Amino acid sequence: MPLHLVIIDALNLIRRVHAAQPDPTDIEKTAQVCRQALHKIISISEPTHIVAVFDHQGHDRGWRGMLLPNYKAGRSAMPEALEQGMSRIQDAFMEEGVDSLLSEGDEADDLVATLAWKLAERNEQVTIISTDKGYCQLLRPTIRIRDYFQQRWLDQDFIEKEYGVQPQQLTDYWGLVGINSSNVSGIPGIGPKTALELLKRHPTLEEILTAKDLPPKWQKRITGNEDLARCCQQIATLKTDITLGFNLQDIRYQNPSEHD
């Protein structure tokens, strides 16, 4: 039987479910709706293996925060009731047969990317459940991204329509324009339209930064901001080489109803 790993970006799912509840203090209801979501995901995707990856709790913004002090600065904190009820929600995940994996020094995004990449290199199928377009830099035939809430695939066609670039150019693009939601600036004065023009001339950020043939109106914005652009690209790039302290057998999916 072919292997199919489903990786759930846990807080991406949970926070959206929680935000839609009329009573934000009713964590049992949030847990119930999360279970319903997981049940649908499992029914449709039919995984052989599945895991929910959680960000570590606390205010440490990891290596990205060390590179760029303003990274994710000002983001709203997790609601207190949700933070206190997280263990109950993780229990609800286990009740659906989904184990939880907690990131430590790295962000959950990097842990998800590493796990997906390791499986894809073995030519196994991976589905990431998230609304986060940052994962789209990983797109390839063996890695796909599913937006559960919009019921759509964040695929190559979606990226071309959304950004006008190829998936492999996304980090080059973000190095130029930044990522507003994470407080990553990019190069001041360069927006999406200019970034696309630049990437049509030179397909990578490094080629743009070292080009000698750019029009003066663009060159003056880039000059002096080369290191900033490289830093923003590095921050946008997901790590795929984290050491994983578990094996696939640990996250094999077993239908709880078959073991009652």
Side-chain angles (χ1 to χ4, degrees), residues 24-71:
T25 65
D26 188 352
I27 297 304
E28 193 58 42
K29 180 61 177 178
T30 296
Q32 178 187 343
V33 176
C34 284
R35 280 195 68 174
Q36 292 169 351
L38 291 174
H39 186 76
K40 290 178 184 177
I41 290 166
I42 291 166
S43 296
I44 293 170
S45 60
E46 298 183 334
T48 60
H49 298 72
I50 189 167
V51 67
V53 179
F54 286 76
D55 259 317
H56 58 84
Q57 299 298 313
H59 302 290
D60 177 20
R61 288 170 288 129
W63 61 270
R64 291 182 175 88
M66 295 177 65
L67 281 177
L68 193 68
N70 287 333
Y71 174 67

Side-chain angles (χ1 to χ4, degrees), residues 120-191:
E121 283 189 323
R122 292 167 44 179
N123 208 34
E124 305 287 5
Q125 183 66 53
V126 179
T127 301
I128 299 170
I129 307 294
S130 182
T131 65
D132 187 345
K133 301 177 185 68
Y135 291 120
C136 293
Q137 64 189 265
L138 303 171
L139 281 169
R140 62 204 59 246
T142 48
I143 299 178
R144 56 188 183 174
I145 297 94
R146 181 70 173 174
D147 179 342
Y148 168 77
F149 297 97
Q150 295 292 326
Q151 291 295 297
R152 64 185 178 183
W153 294 103
L154 304 184
D155 54 15
Q156 182 167 327
D157 288 343
F158 171 84
I159 293 304
E160 289 178 2
K161 290 176 183 176
E162 186 84 358
Y163 298 105
V165 300
Q166 297 295 310
Q168 64 269 23
Q169 292 179 300
L170 280 170
T171 62
D172 301 291
Y173 176 85
W174 288 322
L176 292 167
V177 306
I179 306 171
N180 286 337
S181 63
S182 297
N183 214 27
V184 177
S185 66
I187 297 178
I190 292 185

Side-chain angles (χ1 to χ4, degrees), residues 107-126:
E107 291 185 75
D109 296 1
D110 296 313
L111 196 53
V112 169
T114 295
L115 186 52
W117 195 263
K118 287 182 182 297
L119 268 291
E121 283 189 323
R122 292 167 44 179
N123 208 34
E124 305 287 5
Q125 183 66 53
V126 179

